[in-house]
Amino acid sequence: MSEFIRLDPPVIAEIVAICDTMLAEFESSRIRAKNLVSANGFGDLESARQLAAGYSRKGAGTPESAYERIEQFIETLTQLRDAFAAGGEDFLDTQFDWARALDTVDRDM
């Protein structure tokens, strides 16, 4: 793009700090989501095993699962943070890419 966006250094630092805080929360969520594949305590009936398997699939292992969605958010937010950390110069080039990625994740949910 031929357009250029310039952000003041304190604004960039604040945006990057916000992104880092969000990324830390997503990392914590990713760790918890990884444990969602262990759906225990439903019992020994066939219907209980099927229910546990369904919850496990929602936790991790499929493109629509919680773990994979969190991974997608982390990747997109990291790209956004890096674009801002570069002083905003890369933001216009990447803004539509990350916005499209977030929109795709949101629509798939």
Side-chain angles (χ1 to χ4, degrees):
M1 277 189 157
S2 61
E3 298 178 48
F4 179 73
I5 186 169
R6 179 177 298 276
L7 297 173
D8 292 330
V11 173
I12 293 170
E14 185 174 347
I15 291 171
V16 170
I18 290 168
C19 289
D20 286 338
T21 299
M22 292 173 64
L23 284 168
E25 289 296 322
F26 276 125
E27 286 293 336
S28 176
S29 296
R30 177 171 42 185
I31 292 168
R32 286 192 305 271
K34 196 170 194 173
N35 295 326
L36 292 175
V37 293
S38 301
N40 300 319
F42 288 96
D44 292 329
L45 296 174
E46 181 58 29
S47 60
R49 286 192 290 272
Q50 290 174 358
L51 184 61
Y55 277 110
S56 292
R57 281 189 304 276
K58 288 182 180 196
T62 66
E64 299 83 22
S65 68
Y67 182 82
E68 279 72 14
R69 292 296 185 199
I70 292 168
E71 288 273 318
Q72 293 168 353
F73 280 120
I74 288 172
E75 180 181 330
T76 302
L77 186 56
T78 299
Q79 291 173 3
L80 177 62
R81 182 209 49 206
D82 293 347
F84 277 111
E89 295 176 17
D90 295 333
F91 177 69
L92 286 177
D93 291 335
T94 60
Q95 71 176 334
F96 297 111
D97 291 338
W98 63 260
R100 198 173 307 111
L102 283 177
D103 185 53
T104 300
V105 170
D106 186 45
R107 288 174 194 255
D108 290 343
M109 296 176 86

